[in-house]
Amino acid sequence: MTISEQELARVAELARIRLDPDTVTDVTRRIGNILGMIDRMQAVDTSAVSPMAHPLDTVQRLRPDEVTETDRREDFLAIAPVSEAGLYLVPRVIE
Amino acid sequence: MHDIALEAIAGALERREFSSVEITSHLLERIERANGTLNAFITIDREGALRSAAAADAARAGGATGPLLGVPIAHKDLFCTAGLRTTCGSRMLGEFVPPYSATVVERMAAAGCVTLGKTNMDEFAMGSSNETSWFGPVRNPWDTARVPGGSSGGSAAAVAARLAPGATATDTGGSIRQPASLCGLTGLKATYGRVSRHGMIAFASSLDQAGPIARSAADCALMLQAIAGFDPRDSTSIEAPVPDYVSQLDRPLAGLRIGVPKEYFDPGLHPGTEAAVRQGLAELEAQGAKLVDVSLPHSPLSVPAYYVIAPAECSANLSRYDGVRYGYRCKDPVDLRDLYERSRSEGFGEEVKRRIIVGTYALSAGYYDAYYRKAQQIRRLIAEDFRQAFEVADVIAGPSAPATAFRFGEKSSDPITMYLEDIYTIAANLAGLPAMSMPGGLVDGLPVGIQLIGNHLQEGLLLNVAHRFQQATDWHRRSPGFTA
Amino acid sequence: MLSDWETVIGLEVHVQLATRSKIFSGAATRFGAEPNTQACAVDLAMPGTLPVLNREAVRMAVKFGLAIGAEIASVSVFDRKNYFYPDLPKGYQISQLDHPVVGCGSVTVELPDGSSKCIGVTRAHLEEDAGKSLHEDFHGLTGIDLNRAGTPLLEIVSEPEIRSAQEAVAYLRQIHSIIRYLGISDGNMAEGSMRCDVNLSLRRHGQSEFGTRCEIKNVNSFRFVEKAIECERERQADILEGGGKIKQETRLYDAERNETRSMRSKEVAHDYRYFPEPDLLPVHVSEEFIASVRAELPELPAQKVQRFRTQFGLGAYDAAQLAASRELADYFEETAGATGDAKTAANWVLSELLARLNRDGFDVSASPVPAASLGALIARIHDNTISGKIAKTVFEAMWAGEGEPDAIIDARGLRQVADSGAIAQLVDAALAANAGQVEQYRATPADKRQRMFGFFVGQVMKASQGKANPQQVNDLLRERLDGE
């Protein structure tokens, strides 16, 4: 399977990756090659195979409902790129 | 002092042949001299290392003992270290100082290890040559014109160049075994769930697993002993008790069934590598093991399945890097969209962006069944192949990589050629099996690795086989003779 | 005309579960804390952090499922729902898509006209809440508070079986009542512990296929739900009547202007790229677990309604109103028990008590008149100590904190005159003072005397300052006026 530049643009937008217009053709070709390699999977009939999401055949462990974390806001805000008044700041969110 | 093996250091410390501070200082100096050439370390923690070495010496003077007490090691730079920069080889985390440590880091520290620094790696562990690091490529001490393998290339180069006796690493598709193979080292990827992933920066959550890279199986056994075990902070952590790996090392191999999968000796395998691997298998046979033919018919599909599953998981795992709470943030974003897109596009390198895009595509509406679901079905077929193989074999053996270390730029221009570096290693990740690489010879002066794959939780058996092999061979003692 | 159209409504109700810690981390969930003081490394999606599921969240979801007679999935699966938003730190929300913990169930609502309706619940699944964006101006930037990120949510999805605003509100009240009975949420809509999305479409009566729907997001009170539905159906009817088409979109209800308006259309079409969350394993809910939760279930609103109807002979609507909250139902039962007259108790609770609670903004648990006191008051009506009318005066005094009913009756001299001699005196005096009317009465045909009879009763009651037993007055007047 190949991918068109338009499709690539849509996917890049979903992933919030901005493509450099100069390299779009090259990126499209490389990704098309990868998808072509991946397509080798289609040769195998898997209609009767259930998907395997985890290598472990076990079940989720449940945690007791206890508050174990303390307030470390200052430690976390110290590594934030932009913060003020205890908040993380981002360009204005419009709804 | 830098030639001493990890397993021998504790004894030397106990006998006061040197102190932890002495060997730590010696190695720090060596690292500082060598790093300009090898670029194996992203961060060197001189101050922290000397402090914990002094503490270890004090503890030993006070009667404390332990096989890792005062032993200097290095951590791959995707294990979070509280207060010490953790970059994951990316500009995105170029200045990131985590306020917490990974379980692996905590456990190594609790065992008394001294952290020399953080080793270089492919960006977000995506690569097989260490050429994708934001901090520049790592050079292979056996031939500095060649790659050390990846993604744990810094850990491998550091150990091979005798800058550290052992280092932690991670393996999502071969990132411990392939660099161990290319650098003439012993490296083990544990069973998925055996080592906690807490604090280990995620690439592909259902495949990532940690393990040690060191010179010998005995070294690896000591390190694995320290880091393996249940961790309530990781839902995928296995609750089974951890066996004593060291005490199992010497068990004889008589009667052991070693499965040799015919698919691993395909035309893609370099003849020199094949010869070395076959010779290694003969050595195991000589020790009483039986070689049996097994088939892993779906293994050729492991690469395509992996290059759907790993990118799909990484596309979500890397969404958190958005320039809001930590990490790289672009200058003067004009709006929210700009903040996201520029921070991510400037913060991530090409290979990472490529995989995010492939993964996003594989999960997007209309493609999920053909790609993601299909890959998970292939994954089950691959796991099933192993299940059947382990009915007739106790261990599976084959090559770790198709050939020895390649030159810089040789494969980086074509992603698919690079992806085939992991053709023999990926299947074990898909099935969650423990696997290791041990030195099995030299071809044109470059190391060849033999891969051993075990059934779930059979790390002890793998280390046992490798140790017996290393009792009879000296490939693991060969040094690149790198002059720091 | 609006009446030509049938309104089709489905509701998605998000309920914050009242766990102490978050669904995937050990941070506290308390409402109203200082910004970001309850957001731990997991909630902030710090690199390498992993989710671990809170047992209590699962237990609460199962409890709700059992309460609505739903199937409980023996295996349920968490998925990642991918989208970028600053209040969503990981760039994905952990939710459940194909395998929710709670399957099909139903809720029965009682409507004011005495009818009842069963509304299907398609599913209820566990997920994590997002943080909050604060739009106060920080130099033109938006502030992000992640305290709420990771609070457990149960999303309850109804079938599109609701046909009016009234039914929608009744359904919501019933869900509210159930979650409060179960103690799994405080259901506080003002604080966002219960939030509602309304999906609404119109179709011509008799038409079987659904029309195009709009989703109205985050309607945060029962009254707004009612008003939002009313104005949205008018809006859609106007468009359809005018020959237009409904555009499928997400809208917001603006309470100030009482209108719904389109949310600024998202720049990118949504493609959530759901896939199984690799950091969490499938959740198994065993039969024993379900049995242990079932054993904890209290009597539920629907069961209480049924019991109130059969045990006390109450009407369906009255019973449903009383059972709406556990506290009110308990108050009613205690009052009824103290008097032995459930119907009168129900009338008093539903009229006098509720009116005053609403007027003064008290919760029933904080009622100034305890149930036992109201019971004692009703008992005084029964034993003819006071009339029903006087009782209201006494109740007002009790509400004002003047004490128990007997004390008030005595202090104010409100005790009913039941002494037949005294009443005879009053009757005779009244007849004597109104001799003309007595003449007139007797001259009137028997079937036309009723109004005039009332006049005499009034005179006697006035003379007694309302304290004469009305029945005795009636009997005596009949005897004197109609006397055989």
Side-chain angles (χ1 to χ4, degrees), chain C residues 106-129:
Chain C
S106 67
V107 162
T108 299
V109 297
E110 306 292 340
L111 299 165
D113 67 1
S115 67
S116 66
K117 179 168 178 171
C118 178
I119 293 165
V121 171
T122 316
R123 57 182 286 163
H125 65 257
L126 282 168
E127 61 184 27
E128 55 181 338
D129 208 343

Side-chain angles (χ1 to χ4, degrees), chain B residues 278-307:
Chain B
R278 294 227 185 256
Q279 202 184 329
L281 291 174
E283 168 56 37
L284 291 172
E285 207 174 11
Q287 289 199 33
K290 279 190 301 194
L291 300 186
V292 294
D293 289 335
V294 295
S295 178
L296 302 170
H298 296 96
S299 60
L301 292 174
S302 62
V303 174
Y306 176 87
Y307 278 97

Side-chain angles (χ1 to χ4, degrees), chain B residues 46-86:
Chain B
R46 172 173 271 280
E47 205 181 306
L50 290 173
R51 201 170 43 237
S52 38
D57 284 335
R60 213 174 261 285
T65 57
L68 295 175
L69 179 59
V71 174
I73 53 99
H75 284 300
K76 184 176 182 179
D77 205 19
L78 61 49
F79 291 101
C80 287
T81 40
L84 182 63
R85 182 171 74 142
T86 301

